[in-house]
């Protein structure tokens, strides 16, 4: 197909397609002449991914490029793949370690040689930084690297809740953590085992694109619980 056909198939304007080609977000087509190239289904799939990452996931083009590079790197460890996805999310601090480098100073560290995959040391490991979020995570026994910048974000967000008087105490945090741990388990268990590349693609896109789904579900659940609770209270008042 020509670039105009590619644009029509994906809904991406021709100037945007050309921009993605220049920015290496889209691989080149097969050259037909000096001014023409031929594109195929792989270009349709790539453009669909780019749109999903930028429009749904809210990623910058630079972050989308990192995610796409990870998808094309089947030898990237599952732990590093998760790090790429999390570091690509808007508002997340830190940066993805370069491919082939140790993740010890990145988001994750350690290695389980028997299982053959990377693991992070617990937050209560000797020499780990101390903060409320790190103590909370360590208390749950979560395998999270103590240097993960997401822990600092949790500290800042938790403190902001305190300043706003939301009463986000550890009991409430524990209930939240119980719920999101189940979400995390569902995420990991849903990763396909068909091929390393399929697993990479699923983890990266799933992490980036499911966040808006979870946020929407939370708001719907709040509405449901509020209405149900109110209806139950009214019913109790009317009972003789």
């Amino acid at each position: 197909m020509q670039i105009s056909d590619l644009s029509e198939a994906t809904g991406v304007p021709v100037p945007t397609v050309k921009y993605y080609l220049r920015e290496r977000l889209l691989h080149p087509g097969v050259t037909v002449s000096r001014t023409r190239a031929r594109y195929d289904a792989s270009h349709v799939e790539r453009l669909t991914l780019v749109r999903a990452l930028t429009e749904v996931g809210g990623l910058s083009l630079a972050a989308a490029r990192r995610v796409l590079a990870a998808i094309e790197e089947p030898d990237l460890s599952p732990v590093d793949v998760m790090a790429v996805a999390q570091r690509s999310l808007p508002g997340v601090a830190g940066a993805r370690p370069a491919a082939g480098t140790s993740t010890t100073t990145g988001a994750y560290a350690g290695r389980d040689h028997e299982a053959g995959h990377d693991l992070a040391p617990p937050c209560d490991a000797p020499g780990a930084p101390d903060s409320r979020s790190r103590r909370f995570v360590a208390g749950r026994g979560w395998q999270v690297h103590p240097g993960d910048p997401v822990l600092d974000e949790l500290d800042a967000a938790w403190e902001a809740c305190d300043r706003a008087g939301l009463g986000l105490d550890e009991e409430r945090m524990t209930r939240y953590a119980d719920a999101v741990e189940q979400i995390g388990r569902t995420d990991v268990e849903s990763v396909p085992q068909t091929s390393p590349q399929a697993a990479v693609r699923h983890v990266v896109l799933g992490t980036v694109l499911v966040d808006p789904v979870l946020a929407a579900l939370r708001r719907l659940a709040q509405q449901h619980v509020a209405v149900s609770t109110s209806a139950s209270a009214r019913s109790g008042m009317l009972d003789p």
Side-chain angles (χ1 to χ4, degrees), residues 24-25 53 59-73 76 80-81 83-90 92-98 200 204:
R24 304 188 309 281
L25 287 165
L53 291 170
L59 272 63
S60 67
L61 292 183
R65 188 181 295 110
R66 291 195 296 271
V67 171
L68 292 170
I71 292 174
E72 295 173 346
E73 192 175 344
L76 201 65
D80 280 338
V81 170
V84 173
Q86 292 184 348
R87 294 299 159 271
S88 298
L89 291 170
V92 175
R96 170 186 180 269
V200 168
V204 172

Side-chain angles (χ1 to χ4, degrees), residues 179-180 183-184 186-187 206-207 209-221:
V180 298
I183 292 174
T186 300
D187 288 341
T207 301
L209 299 181
V210 173
D211 269 16
V213 174
L214 297 178
L217 281 174
R218 181 192 181 201
R219 286 162 175 76
L220 292 172

Side-chain angles (χ1 to χ4, degrees), residues 79-150:
V79 173
D80 280 338
V81 170
M82 189 67 74
V84 173
Q86 292 184 348
R87 294 299 159 271
S88 298
L89 291 170
V92 175
R96 170 186 180 269
T101 62
S102 168
T103 58
T104 301
T105 57
Y108 304 92
R111 184 161 183 85
D112 181 345
H113 293 284
E114 293 183 359
H117 57 267
D118 293 324
L119 290 174
C123 278
D124 58 353
D130 183 51
S131 70
R132 180 162 57 164
S133 67
R134 287 170 174 82
R135 291 191 298 272
F136 178 78
V137 167
R140 293 189 63 86
W142 282 2
Q143 294 288 323
V144 176
H145 191 278
D148 194 318
V150 175

Side-chain angles (χ1 to χ4, degrees), residues 2-8 10-22 26 39 47:
Q2 298 182 23
I3 194 168
S4 58
D5 301 319
L6 180 60
S7 171
E8 183 177 354
T10 60
V12 178
V14 171
T16 304
V17 175
K18 292 181 177 179
Y19 177 71
Y20 288 164
L21 286 166
R22 290 195 302 271
L26 180 65
Y39 303 93
L47 276 178

Side-chain angles (χ1 to χ4, degrees), residues 147-236:
D148 194 318
V150 175
L151 290 164
D152 298 322
E153 293 188 356
L154 178 56
D155 276 322
W158 199 343
E159 182 180 348
C161 289
D162 288 345
R163 289 198 303 269
L166 292 181
L168 196 58
D169 56 20
E170 292 209 10
E171 180 182 355
R172 185 173 170 188
M173 282 291 288
T174 296
R175 295 178 66 182
Y176 282 142
D178 289 341
V180 298
E181 185 170 342
Q182 290 302 313
I183 292 174
R185 192 177 306 278
T186 300
D187 288 341
V188 173
E189 290 176 351
S190 67
V191 175
Q193 304 299 318
T194 53
S195 70
Q197 188 164 357
V200 168
R201 182 180 185 278
H202 185 92
V203 170
V204 172
L205 295 181
T207 301
V208 172
L209 299 181
V210 173
D211 269 16
V213 174
L214 297 178
L217 281 174
R218 181 192 181 201
R219 286 162 175 76
L220 292 172
Q222 289 173 340
Q223 179 178 331
H224 162 69
V225 172
V227 171
S228 299
T229 302
S230 178
S232 296
R234 289 197 301 271
S235 176

